[in-house]
């Protein structure tokens, strides 16, 4: 007889409870936190045990989310599934490398302007910050900014804490970032005019 229709069932992202095999894989996650390959570094955002339901029982596997960046304005994320954790991470890393995007940075340390992003039930707000602020973000968002090369930023996440939605909402926000040069080219003006107007708006906001 043909096998029953298969489906994937999530078993939680943190694997905080379970047998010895789960604790072993969690330990490997800690060792894998960051790895450099040439100019790119990658960070493991989450590892999730999943089960594929087939005739006769379940086949357990793992799903990984990895963020890859060069810390110079390029970043990407990817997901991967496999029966073993290392293979799932490898698939996610390769997927992330194929989806790298470039984000314009101000002075190579923060965003050019405030921006918001949304995906599904996840909503994030990103704000540019002065030098010395650091990365005020947690969880998956911090991994994105560290691999992107941002040093000063303030963020807020509202809604779901699902790492998939948070990552996608963050990338939705980053896709909206525009540098003064990009705005000047789009409007047919000089960069000095755009920067001068932004300075005036910031001065009015402080008053």
């Amino acid at each position: 007889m043909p096998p029953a229709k298969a489906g994937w069932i999530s078993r939680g992202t943190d694997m905080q409870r379970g047998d010895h095999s789960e604790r072993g894989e969690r330990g490997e996650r800690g060792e894998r936190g960051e790895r450099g390959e040439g100019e790119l570094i990658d960070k493991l955002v989450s590892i999730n045990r999943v089960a594929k339901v087939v005739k006769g029982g379940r086949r357990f596997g793992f799903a990984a989310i990895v963020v890859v960046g060069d810390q110079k304005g390029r970043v990407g994320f990817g997901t991967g599934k496999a029966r073993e954790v290392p293979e799932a991470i490898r698939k996610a890393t390769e997927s992330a490398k194929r989806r790298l995007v470039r984000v314009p940075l101000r002075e190579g340390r923060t965003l050019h302007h405030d921006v918001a992003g949304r995906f599904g039930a996840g909503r994030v707000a990103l704000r540019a910050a002065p030098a010395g602020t650091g990365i005020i973000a947690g969880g998956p968002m911090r991994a994105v900014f560290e691999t992107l090369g941002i040093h000063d930023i303030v963020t807020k996440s509202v809604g779901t804490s699902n790492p998939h939605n948070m990552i996608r909402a963050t990338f939705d926000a980053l896709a909206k970032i525009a540098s003064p040069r990009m705005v000047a080219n789009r409007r047919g003006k000089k960069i000095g005019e755009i920067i001068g107007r932004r300075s005036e708006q910031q001065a009015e906001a402080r008053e």
Side-chain angles (χ1 to χ4, degrees):
M1 295 179 64
K5 185 177 180 180
W8 286 95
I9 300 178
S10 174
R11 291 294 301 277
T13 58
D14 294 331
M15 299 187 298
Q16 295 178 346
R17 58 185 183 276
D19 54 19
H20 294 283
S21 63
E22 292 183 9
R23 289 194 296 269
E25 300 299 349
R26 183 172 57 187
E28 184 167 352
R29 172 185 175 182
E31 297 174 359
R32 170 72 186 198
E34 182 175 350
R35 177 176 57 85
E37 284 191 1
E39 296 182 354
L40 297 177
I41 67 169
D42 63 82
K43 287 183 177 291
L44 177 62
V45 175
S46 73
I47 187 74
N48 181 28
R49 196 181 82 159
V50 295
K52 187 176 184 180
V53 179
V54 297
K55 181 181 178 181
R58 299 176 179 177
R59 292 180 181 175
F60 291 101
F62 296 89
I65 308 176
V66 174
V67 177
V68 173
D70 62 358
Q71 294 186 317
K72 297 179 181 178
R74 290 197 305 160
V75 68
F77 79 97
T79 60
K81 290 182 180 179
R83 297 292 298 275
E84 302 293 336
V85 170
E87 181 64 13
I89 294 175
R90 186 193 66 79
K91 289 182 178 181
T93 303
E94 293 300 322
S95 175
K97 290 179 179 179
R98 293 193 298 267
R99 302 170 64 180
L100 289 172
V101 296
R102 182 167 294 280
V103 180
L105 301 180
R106 182 180 181 183
E107 301 173 359
R109 62 171 184 81
T110 189
L111 302 178
H112 282 283
H113 54 83
D114 300 347
V115 67
R118 182 171 184 174
F119 184 87
R123 292 181 293 167
V124 299
L126 315 181
R127 299 194 66 179
T133 302
I135 300 177
I136 310 300
M141 298 173 66
R142 172 175 287 273
V144 173
F145 301 135
E146 288 179 349
T147 55
L148 178 59
I150 290 180
H151 302 291
D152 304 295
I153 190 171
V154 177
T155 69
K156 180 64 176 179
S157 173
V158 180
T160 181
S161 60
N162 183 298
H164 289 270
N165 287 350
M166 290 181 67
I167 289 287
R168 293 179 183 274
T170 302
F171 273 81
D172 177 65
L174 294 177
K176 302 175 183 177
I177 297 294
S179 66
R181 183 182 299 276
M182 296 167 61
V183 176
N185 291 338
R186 186 165 60 243
R187 297 182 181 179
K189 296 184 177 182
K190 297 181 180 180
I191 299 178
E193 298 179 75
I194 303 298
I195 296 178
R197 184 175 180 181
R198 182 173 65 180
S199 300
E200 293 177 359
Q201 292 176 345
Q202 291 176 348
E204 292 177 357
R206 286 194 296 268
E207 294 175 357

